[in-house]
Amino acid sequence: MTVTATSVDRQDQQEPPTAPTRGARILRLVPAATAALSGVLLYVSFPPRTLWWLALPAFALFGWVLRGRGWKAGLGLGYLFGLGFLLPLLVWTGVEVGPGPWIALVVIEAIFVALVGAGVAAVSKLPAWPVWGAAVWIAGEAARARVPFRGFPWGKIAFGQADGVFLPLAALGGTPVLGFAVVLCGFGLCEAVRLGLRWRRTREVPRSAAALALISMAVPVLSAVAARSLVSDKAETGTATVAVIQGNVPRLGLDFNSQRRAVLDFHARETERLAAEVKAGKKAQPDFVLWPENSSDIDPFANPDAAAVIEQAAEAIDAPISVGGVVERDGKLYNEQILWDPEKGATQTYDKRQVQPFGEFLPMRSLIGAINDEWTSMVRQDFSRGSEPGVFDFGDAKVGLATCYEAAFDWAVRDTVTHGAQIISVPSNNATFDRSEMTYQQLAMSRVRAVEHSRTVTVPVTSGVSAIIMPDGEITQKTGMFVADSLVQKVPLRSSETPATKLGILPEIALLLVAAGGLGWAIGAGMRGRRAGGV
């Protein structure tokens, strides 16, 4: 019997494929593990640590696992990177409510990072891919800062750079330009290392590719050095002596305000203690006093006893006080700052405009109530949003207000400056987050905002860390956590606007156009390649 070649071929084709070895299976996991661990590395670069430079190798590793891959692989690797970064970064969101909301938030927010991963993988096949990839990252941040529920920009790369060499770029183009520079430098590092390894193997590297890799690393650093000329803490329209009050709270956790009168009394008591020090000549007389968010959870307009406590404190310190109150008006609840003058009483108010989802209002209330009715009981009534920027007139000083969560949003801080603010105040209440990293992450945001708009930023917090930040981002005074304390300092009043303040959203739009151009080029190249392969 004769065996034909055709029958032999068929027999060969029917043989089962060789099972991958254990080593091969492990190697397949390397990109996934690297993506997740590089996300963790990015988290470690954020406050309270001062390891800002770790963001560069984090993005270098992220670029390495994405380069040359398809969009589906990029999607999965991006999601792992997002989980590695956001799970530890946002753990404070579950301090009092348990792991459910924390994990749900991270699972949703990591989707944006997954989409970025798919985009970076697509543009990684293009010349000068670090530029396109960094722009795609900023596009992802822009989307995350706007949706869902009006956005959640926590974890912007810029907010991890308060101690870094790139910080002056905030004055040039705000958080988008600062973040773009960091990511570009990281991707440039990836490309430089890749080309270096190629040179060792082949002794051949395209000059244009090598030049672009070096430019991607050098331009962000050189631009940051040049932007230092935009940073100044000199007074332009005089000075003001400001007092920041941290009264502390009766207990930690979500039930801190169950003794609401105690919170108000604590802040009044600390103000009166400061007044005694002023009279004794131990501290300077402040021109105005700043209390934190929720320092009076009792509505002083509806409760004469609360108004009397505030009035007494203002008279004792002989200066107007910005009081954080919870106010009900026309059946609506507002998180409000109230300017309380010792002679005239309440003269100005500011209603918080960017209220916090699941903290100050509950989206999809009926659905969430069906899942867990305890969550709906935590937010019994939604806070309403204000509509006007807050700028209080303290004599010759104009103080812009961005209440707590609002400090994370570019527009909410910028428009106080464009409406005349010479100082920025970020009254906050972090008592619900215990001793977590949240307060330090938020403090870093305020440092970036100080440089972005070249303004002193004060951070009065109920339980700490309260601080005074100069226009160059330096913290000159700060308190501990969960202690009663006060800070008094003469600070510069500034009226000039940085390029970032003047340009507003334009740098972000420009980077979105760069990202769109890179993605369009990549998609077009992919379609042409498939058509050519088909022919």
Side-chain angles (χ1 to χ4, degrees):
M1 180 178 178
T2 302
V3 179
T4 65
T6 302
S7 63
V8 171
D9 290 342
R10 286 173 180 169
Q11 290 172 5
D12 290 341
Q13 291 172 0
Q14 291 171 359
E15 291 180 3
T18 304
T21 64
R22 183 179 180 183
R25 289 197 299 269
I26 293 175
L27 284 175
R28 289 179 183 177
L29 297 176
V30 169
T34 303
L37 290 174
S38 59
V40 174
L41 191 63
L42 180 60
Y43 155 71
V44 175
S45 74
F46 271 65
R49 295 158 295 277
T50 57
L51 303 174
W52 58 269
W53 51 272
L54 285 178
L56 304 183
F59 278 104
L61 289 171
F62 190 41
W64 176 76
V65 299
L66 291 176
R67 192 180 184 282
R69 296 186 184 273
W71 70 268
K72 291 181 181 179
L75 195 71
L77 292 169
Y79 197 77
L80 291 172
F81 181 83
L83 291 178
F85 173 45
L86 295 173
L87 268 171
L89 185 80
L90 302 179
V91 67
W92 52 267
T93 60
V95 166
E96 292 295 333
V97 295
W102 160 48
I103 293 174
L105 174 64
V106 172
V107 165
I108 293 170
E109 293 296 315
I111 293 173
F112 292 93
V113 187
L115 294 172
V116 167
V120 173
V123 301
S124 69
K125 304 177 182 69
L126 302 177
W129 73 267
V131 176
W132 310 114
V136 169
W137 179 273
I138 298 304
E141 286 191 344
R144 200 159 64 85
R146 290 166 173 83
V147 292
F149 315 126
R150 302 190 73 183
F152 185 75
W154 216 277
K156 271 189 169 187
I157 299 306
F159 297 150
Q161 296 296 309
D163 291 292
V165 298
F166 298 101
L167 180 60
L169 289 171
L172 182 64
T175 59
V177 169
L178 173 53
F180 175 78
V182 175
V183 181
L184 175 61
C185 200
F187 284 162
L189 175 62
C190 170
E191 185 69 353
V193 171
R194 186 186 72 83
L195 293 174
L197 293 174
R198 178 176 170 180
W199 169 259
R200 289 187 62 182
R201 289 195 316 269
T202 66
R203 297 295 175 180
E204 292 182 359
V205 170
R207 291 184 178 180
S208 59
L212 285 168
L214 293 176
I215 289 171
S216 297
M217 290 190 296
V219 168
V221 176
L222 294 175
S223 298
V225 172
R228 291 181 65 181
S229 62
L230 301 173
V231 179
S232 174
D233 60 2
K234 293 181 179 179
E236 294 176 329
T237 53
T239 61
T241 301
V242 57
V244 170
I245 300 297
Q246 177 175 300
N248 205 6
V249 296
R251 60 168 66 98
L252 310 187
L254 288 174
D255 64 345
F256 81 96
N257 61 357
S258 62
Q259 296 183 30
R260 296 183 298 172
R261 177 57 189 267
V263 177
L264 172 58
D265 287 344
F266 281 12
H267 285 81
R269 185 183 308 158
E270 184 60 26
T271 304
E272 291 167 2
R273 188 188 68 80
L274 173 61
E277 290 186 321
V278 170
K279 290 179 180 178
K282 296 180 181 179
K283 289 190 176 180
Q285 169 65 47
D287 295 312
F288 53 90
V289 179
L290 302 172
W291 284 8
E293 176 189 34
N294 300 149
S295 48
S296 177
D297 274 355
I298 299 177
D299 184 350
F301 298 114
N303 296 274
D305 59 328
V309 170
I310 298 169
E311 183 73 29
Q312 182 177 338
E315 290 176 352
I317 196 66
D318 193 25
I321 303 175
S322 179
V323 178
V326 175
V327 174
E328 187 169 354
R329 187 168 58 251
D330 300 326
K332 296 180 179 180
L333 205 59
Y334 293 93
N335 186 335
E336 189 167 85
Q337 288 292 310
I338 307 162
L339 175 53
W340 205 283
D341 186 88
E343 297 179 357
K344 302 176 183 178
T347 58
Q348 291 179 258
T349 60
Y350 166 65
D351 297 324
K352 187 175 181 179
R353 294 170 293 164
Q354 188 71 28
V355 295
Q356 183 182 353
F358 304 100
E360 293 173 306
F361 78 98
L362 196 61
M364 305 179 297
R365 182 177 289 272
S366 58
L367 176 61
I368 291 173
I371 298 172
N372 189 332
D373 58 1
E374 290 184 6
W375 294 346
T376 59
S377 64
M378 293 178 185
V379 188
R380 294 185 179 87
Q381 182 180 351
D382 292 341
F383 278 82
S384 296
R385 299 182 180 91
S387 58
E388 298 294 330
V391 180
F392 282 176
D393 295 307
F394 289 101
D396 295 330
K398 294 182 180 294
V399 178
L401 300 165
T403 305
C404 196
Y405 183 57
E406 291 182 320
F409 293 83
D410 295 345
W411 62 269
V413 181
R414 175 180 177 266
D415 67 2
T416 68
V417 179
T418 58
H419 282 75
Q422 300 162 307
I423 299 173
I424 298 169
S425 183
V426 184
S428 303
N429 175 20
N430 299 338
T432 53
F433 302 111
D434 204 348
R435 297 181 182 272
S436 69
E437 294 182 356
M438 182 270 187
T439 189
Y440 300 102
Q441 293 171 8
Q442 190 177 56
L443 187 60
M445 292 180 194
S446 296
R447 294 179 64 191
V448 173
R449 298 305 184 195
V451 174
E452 182 178 13
H453 301 292
S454 193
R455 296 291 188 272
T456 297
V457 176
T458 62
V459 187
V461 185
T462 51
S463 55
V465 173
S466 299
I468 296 177
I469 305 166
M470 297 299 282
D472 60 0
E474 180 186 357
I475 297 175
T476 52
Q477 292 190 62
K478 64 179 181 179
T479 70
M481 293 186 72
F482 294 101
V483 294
D485 204 351
S486 61
L487 308 173
V488 180
Q489 185 174 322
K490 181 182 289 187
V491 298
L493 301 179
R494 293 182 57 82
S495 57
S496 63
E497 293 185 353
T498 64
T501 307
K502 294 176 181 176
L503 293 172
I505 198 175
L506 292 179
E508 186 175 56
I509 292 175
L511 291 172
L512 292 179
L513 292 175
V514 172
L519 290 170
W521 185 3
I523 292 170
M527 293 176 66
R528 289 191 295 272
R530 283 193 293 272
R531 285 198 296 267
V535 173

